[in-house]
């Protein structure tokens, strides 16, 4: 059902006819490829009465909701905030208070850089049940879609998922702990500060020639992969202009990347790859 203020009002003022008490389901929608949804997520979406979703949820996934379901976009684009987080929290509570099962669809996994923890606390504090359905996080989806293993016995014994967005929007990282050559680093939301990122990593001892993969719209039909090196990262981003959502995989394992069809054995991807 197309979202309008009056359709939302109707939902908020009418009580559900269901026998269960209202609840919020924080559901991970994965990185975009509809086939990467969990079975549980699929069941919830297909039977949803109301879906509250983020910008990163792909149209193919939203299309799985029943035509009569009300789908509410509360999406946030980098640099532009749609509905504020406090408003989203309150909307979830208000909808569940009408006795409805509210499907809160979030890109990737709700508990990885998705503010799922904040929404869960808010809902629980209002005395409403909150269930968590995990999703494939972007790092895992992008690794699989590019044939880059995040760990490898010969190259990386650990992996770190990192965001540059601290509470005040600035990266607050222990750079010293990121210098180990045998550790793969995956940066979410790293495009806008990639210059500082590469300078800090090199300044703290990471090899300037460390390979980097920029995975843009990973797992989607229009996925693009750009391969570069740490010291050329900022220049490469300026030239290739990757857009959000993109993530950066930094480490020796990036050498495993092979252009399709060798890497994916799959004609699903129409990759326009570049090596900087
Ligand atoms: C707010 S975070 C949400 C992460 C999400 N909860 C997850 O588990 O993947 C948004 C960032 O995730 C990364 N991201 C999400 N989906 C992606 C995709 N399909 N391809 C590349 N990066 C993606 C990007 O760095 C994007 O800016």
């Amino acid at each position: 059902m197309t979202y309008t203020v009056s359709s939302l009002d109707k939902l908020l003022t009418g009580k559900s006819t269901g026998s269960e008490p209202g609840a919020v389901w924080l559901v991970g929608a994965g990185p975009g490829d509809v086939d990467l949804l969990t079975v549980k997520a699929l069941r919830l979406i297909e039977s949803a009465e109301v879906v509250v979703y983020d910008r990163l949820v792909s149209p193919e996934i939203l299309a799985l909701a029943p035509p009569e379901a009300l789908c509410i976009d509360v999406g946030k684009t980098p640099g532009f905030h749609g509905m504020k987080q406090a408003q989203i929290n309150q909307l979830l509570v208000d909808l569940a208070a009408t006795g409805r099962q509210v499907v809160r669809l979030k890109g990737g996994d709700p508990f990885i850089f998705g503010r799922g923890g904040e929404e869960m606390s808010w809902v629980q504090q209002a005395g409403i049940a909150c269930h968590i359905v995990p999703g494939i996080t972007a790092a895992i989806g992008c690794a699989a879609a590019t044939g880059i293993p995040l760990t490898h016995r010969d190259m990386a014994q650990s992996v770190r998922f990192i965001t540059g967005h601290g509470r005040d929007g600035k990266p607050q990282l222990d750079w010293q702990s990121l210098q180990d050559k045998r550790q793969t680093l995956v940066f979410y939301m790293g495009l806008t500060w990639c210059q500082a990122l590469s300078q800090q990593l090199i300044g703290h001892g990471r090899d300037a020639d460390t390979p980097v993969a920029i995975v843009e719209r990973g797992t989607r039909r229009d996925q693009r992969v750009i391969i570069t090196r740490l010291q050329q990262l900022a220049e490469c981003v300026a030239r290739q202009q990757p857009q959000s959502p993109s993530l950066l995989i930094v480490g020796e394992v990036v050498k495993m990347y092979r252009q399709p069809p060798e890497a994916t054995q799959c004609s699903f991807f129409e990759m326009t790859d570049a090596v900087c």
Side-chain angles (χ1 to χ4, degrees):
M1 190 199 305
T2 316
Y3 166 76
T4 57
V5 175
S6 69
S7 57
L8 177 59
D9 272 354
K10 212 166 140 199
L11 213 62
L12 287 170
T13 47
K15 285 275 172 207
S16 161
T17 49
S19 51
E20 298 280 307
V24 174
W25 296 78
L26 289 187
V27 179
D33 177 356
V34 69
D35 289 343
L36 293 179
L37 279 176
T38 63
V39 175
K40 194 164 185 173
L42 179 64
R43 284 194 187 126
L44 284 161
I45 298 167
E46 283 181 339
S47 60
E49 195 180 352
V50 54
V51 177
V52 178
Y53 67 97
D54 279 344
R55 174 185 66 92
L56 286 177
V57 175
S58 65
E60 293 86 343
I61 288 176
L62 275 177
L64 298 169
E68 64 279 11
L70 183 63
C71 296
I72 306 168
D73 178 2
V74 291
K76 296 182 221 119
T77 322
F80 171 79
H81 285 266
M83 209 181 259
K84 295 249 182 314
Q85 187 62 50
Q87 293 173 297
I88 298 172
N89 296 346
Q90 194 55 49
L91 177 65
L92 296 176
V93 168
D94 291 347
L95 285 167
T98 66
R100 291 185 167 81
Q101 305 301 309
V102 181
V103 175
R104 169 67 172 119
L105 257 190
K106 299 175 86 70
D109 180 87
F111 278 179
I112 302 278
F113 309 135
R115 303 188 73 170
E118 293 168 46
E119 292 181 10
M120 178 183 69
S121 300
W122 187 274
V123 168
Q124 288 174 338
Q125 274 162 25
I128 289 167
C130 185
H131 309 282
I132 314 299
V133 180
I136 292 185
T137 189
I140 303 294
C142 290
T146 56
I148 299 174
L150 297 181
T151 66
H152 188 289
R153 279 205 301 181
D154 299 330
M155 286 178 262
Q157 270 68 61
S158 64
V159 57
R160 292 272 294 268
F161 294 173
I162 303 162
T163 174
H165 275 233
R167 192 166 264 284
D168 63 357
K170 295 204 189 92
Q172 292 155 347
L173 298 174
D174 173 6
W175 293 102
Q176 202 57 44
S177 72
L178 304 181
Q179 52 81 31
D180 181 6
K181 185 180 162 113
R182 295 170 76 84
Q183 176 174 231
T184 304
L185 309 177
V186 183
F187 289 92
Y188 289 66
M189 297 167 276
L191 278 185
T192 49
W193 60 290
C194 64
Q195 183 157 21
L197 181 160
S198 59
Q199 280 170 353
Q200 289 283 1
L201 287 176
I202 294 168
H204 284 84
R206 200 87 195 217
D207 189 338
D209 278 337
T210 304
V212 180
I214 304 167
V215 187
E216 182 186 30
R217 297 183 298 274
T219 81
R220 302 183 183 213
R221 286 176 193 280
D222 53 355
Q223 168 176 291
R224 179 166 69 134
V225 182
I226 303 162
I227 304 293
T228 184
R229 297 194 179 271
L230 210 43
Q231 65 185 338
Q232 281 130 21
L233 177 61
E235 190 192 322
C236 176
V237 166
R239 197 166 50 244
Q240 297 286 343
Q241 300 273 313
Q243 303 298 312
S244 178
S246 291
L247 60 70
L248 311 174
I249 304 176
V250 179
E252 298 305 304
V253 288
V254 172
K255 290 178 181 159
M256 300 280 288
Y257 171 69
R258 295 282 176 277
Q259 286 191 320
E262 296 87 339
T264 61
Q265 300 283 315
C266 173
S267 58
F268 177 77
F269 298 103
E270 292 164 25
M271 290 175 153
T272 46
D273 295 340
V275 178
C276 271

